[in-house]
Amino acid sequence: MTTTHPLVEFDEQISLPPLPPINARFFVPRFVEKPQDPIMDTLRLNASNPSSDSRFRLDKIPKELSLIPGQKIGPKSPLSEEYVWQNALKLDTRGRSSEIHSWDSLRSNAPISASFSGFLSEQDGIMFAAAHYQALPRLQDAHSVVQYLTIPNLLKNMKLTVLGFSSLLYEWDPVEERFIDIGLSRGNMRKRLVIEGKDEVISSDFISRFIQIGESLRRLETLVEQLRSRHVALNKPTLFHLTISSSIRSNIGPTMHAFAHALSTCLVQIRGSLASGPPSEDQLYASHSTLNSIFMYYNQHEGVLSALSRLCNRQGEGLSPKDYEAIPSSPQALLSLIHDHLHFHIESQSPHHINATLAFILTRTSTEYLKDVSRSVGFGSSERLLGDSSFSREYPTFFPKELLDALPVAQRSLKLLRVAQPDHPILKGSTRLSNIQWFWTSEDILAAVNGSEETTTENLAPIKTADQSSTIAYLPALAEFHIFDFEPGSLNGRSCFDTVYTSGPTLALDNFIKSFPSSFPPIAPTLAHLTSLVLKPLLLHATALSTTLLSLFLALPPPLDIHSHLRLIRSYMLLMSPSFRRRLSAALFSDSGNFDADAESSRAFSLGSLRHGTQRADLRRKTWAVGLAPALLDRATWPPMDTDLSFFLRTVILDSYEVNANDEARRDRVEEIENRLGFAVRHISTGHTNAWANPLHVEALDFLYMEYKPPQPLDVVITPDILSKYQRIFSFLLRILRVQHALHAVLRMSTSASPYVFGTLASSRKMLLHFRFIAQSFVANLVEYVYDTAIAGNLDPFLARLEEVDSGTTHARYSDVFSLAEAHSGVMDDILTACLLRSGQRIAGGALRDSLELVLDFTVLVGDLYRGRIEEYQAASVLENLYIQFRNNMSNLFEVLSGTVEKNASLRTSLEVPHSTGVQDTHKAVGGVEALSHLLIRLDFGEFWFHASNRHR
């Protein structure tokens, strides 16, 4: 199957005759076995083909010679059309310096005029157009119509087009929002306009500027009209309505109205400039050089309208209304869009007129939004909606990061400060401050840098009229009221539609453009620096508001003292109070080695002994949960949920607080502590197996937690999230305390003479004692590390920093009360990290949990052996397996901790030389990951596990 080349198909479609063949002017003969002489070969070729030397072919005479302007060639002229070129070739050119002929030199009757240039392109426009037409003939197109225009006809129609009106050449299509050729709207026909004396390319470029300006002006005016309409989607929907109704129909706020008004002001000013611009009546019959000045006059208008069209997503070649991108409906997105366009043009060194126009739109559009932002933090001269909590937390992208961080904090601080102290001076003084507004002149920028609150835009401007000899000062918002100062009858014959009254907005725009600087001063060289300077008063007020609330918060009276509440939580929820820890251990744990005796004694003092006496018969035959108080194991179910547990735990809190109370003031707070601090039981889900369902597990007491209810002001610092972290640490402390009491019970059982544990198996007895020693060392070091390093090393410096209110250093550490809450949460995160309780520490935390579980299994095994529930030969193999598992697990834990410390050079340094200088900063927290080096030292001070891990490898 053969295929036809695409170029051949294209030639057949346009029906052009084939081009004449081009003969080669040289040839390469076949190589022969002799030297070649190209010079002689060329001479022989010329001698054999003499016609090839002719530079011109007389049979190809151009037929367009009649287009040459000037006097017509007479019929008796010897140089007729068909012989002019032939005679030119036959002329004797000997003795002439050039053989180049121009058209005017070939005619003897052509007018001879002096030329200022020898280039054809610099001749008269008509001469150049004819030459251009001869050199590049126009292709014949059946779907286009060529229309030649004179300069007066062109300028009259372009004047209407540039104003957005229909003319004799183009008419406005409201559906497609573009100008179309008159009379050629049907089919595929199009009109090609050619200016007299210009070629088609130059004519198209000249006319396209006028069409572009007119289309942009009409599109933007249509946009303003639709933005001002409150019922866009309900009134005669068009393609344009479909594109913007979904975005602005539901959110036409003051910012969008301000944008529409500012855009309308710019368009009115541009339309007025276009209407008063050229061409005038005298320029309608101007020369071609005047066309260039007219063309350049509209250059700045095209630049401004092009920038506004790009801002409104109305710029594009062949763009139709269905392709328009929606204008952002939210004030934040709209202001960000305007600011980004202004920043682009400033950085691109765009003309002054474009930068000033965009700056004017940004200034007018952002006025109400900046007032709303100021009101949300209680700043500004207006009392309306001050501190509105429903204000959006989203802000424009040009807001500095410091302000973005300070505004949400200041809004919450304002809400709390008004509840805590409504008559605070900062709440009253902020209303006297001026509103946030943009300023652009060098004088205003320097005034803002120097701390002056007055700018030229706020000065009282005296209003002078022709009918008044005096001047009266008015605020800008009241300037229109000067009309009532005229004498009665002085305005007879005048209308409110006169220019003196209707040109106010455009005059403001003109003044703004004139005062807009060509470049910013060195103190604020970029738009980002200027933005920070404009918003600086708002940032200072937000920071002052947050600092004021922090000072007031830290100076609360004793019932709401933050220090006492945090120390109370530290004493109880973190078991840092020795008396509370001792009483809680007595209520929940037991280190006795005689389970039967403890069970009988607990039964005698149990409140439910009479109700549950029949359920205790099988208690001695069950496995002993070593380390737990017998009172908790009194019933046959676990976890215990009777009144005995509630009674014991309630008395633990009150009794331990009374022991710590040394004065009457603290005794008066017993009732408040009782209402805010207490024990609670987690919800037990049905059908789900929880870890605390078995008393033999190390998580047996995880069902129990402490609950604290902070007072109303303090819930900002003591949040539910922070309390949940306290509860996680509390559950971890109960685990290690239970294992510690279980080991104490093993110590008593292993040293008892009757019965003597592993009395017949000496090797097992030795392994028992060795296992007990390393387990006791592990748990004891772990308990000391948790209390002294993980908890006290992080929480005590935090509490010490809070007590530095009098020295004033607390404000430097915490900017607001919410940063104080974040610092509190960070301290709890460090404690969780130091205790290997974070979710990202699953490997190390799991190894630590398994080690505690193996130790607890070891104590349960010794308890069963001590009570005679298992024989020694049976317990020996179990003991050996537990010992091997414990050593392997401890080796894994040591490897994980060593790898964590080795990853950080600072941790490795603290491990090698801890406090080598002897000077310790009491206010410097140990940290979370940093504390693991201390744990590594405590667990393997003699490098026992280090060598064990090497042997294990």
Side-chain angles (χ1 to χ4, degrees), residues 32 37 84 95 122 194 228 293 389 424 467 575 638 876 883:
V32 295
D37 190 350
V84 61
E122 296 182 0
V194 179
R228 288 177 171 176
S293 62
S389 60
H424 197 277
D467 301 319
L575 305 182
W638 185 266
Y883 177 72

Side-chain angles (χ1 to χ4, degrees), residues 634-811:
D634 187 54
R635 300 187 61 181
T637 60
W638 185 266
M641 297 296 177
D642 56 358
T643 56
D644 293 344
L645 179 63
S646 302
F647 176 77
F648 286 143
L649 297 180
R650 181 177 180 272
T651 57
V652 164
I653 297 177
L654 298 179
D655 294 346
S656 61
Y657 186 81
E658 290 182 0
V659 171
N660 290 334
N662 297 323
D663 51 18
E664 294 296 333
R666 297 189 65 185
R667 291 180 181 272
D668 296 338
R669 298 173 59 187
V670 173
E671 184 178 357
E672 181 182 359
I673 297 301
E674 183 180 3
N675 295 331
R676 299 195 179 278
L677 191 65
F679 288 93
V681 177
R682 302 183 191 275
H683 176 70
I684 301 177
S685 58
T686 59
H688 180 71
T689 303
N690 296 308
W692 61 74
N694 190 350
L696 301 179
H697 289 174
V698 72
E699 301 94 346
L701 292 176
D702 284 1
F703 69 92
L704 184 66
Y705 68 96
M706 292 200 72
E707 186 178 18
Y708 180 78
K709 298 179 181 179
Q712 185 65 31
L714 300 183
D715 56 356
V716 179
V717 177
I718 309 175
T719 61
D721 180 67
I722 295 177
L723 288 176
S724 65
K725 297 176 182 179
Y726 275 102
Q727 293 166 2
R728 291 171 60 186
I729 299 174
F730 177 78
S731 299
F732 176 72
L733 293 176
L734 292 184
R735 296 178 188 178
I736 60 177
L737 286 180
R738 189 265 177 93
V739 176
Q740 186 181 34
H741 283 78
L743 284 175
H744 293 169
V746 169
L747 177 62
R748 289 185 171 86
M749 288 184 288
S750 61
T751 57
S752 175
S754 177
Y756 191 71
V757 180
F758 284 118
T760 59
L761 299 177
S763 59
S764 298
R765 174 72 179 183
K766 182 178 180 181
M767 182 176 293
L768 169 66
L769 297 179
H770 180 68
F771 196 178
R772 188 197 69 188
F773 174 77
I774 60 176
Q776 179 65 34
S777 176
F778 162 68
V779 175
N781 289 324
L782 178 62
V783 172
E784 293 178 359
Y785 162 78
V786 170
Y787 282 104
D788 297 341
T789 303
I791 297 178
N794 289 291
L795 187 59
D796 290 352
F798 173 73
L799 297 177
R801 287 193 296 267
L802 289 181
E803 294 177 354
E804 296 177 350
V805 180
D806 297 336
S807 60
T809 57
T810 302
H811 295 358

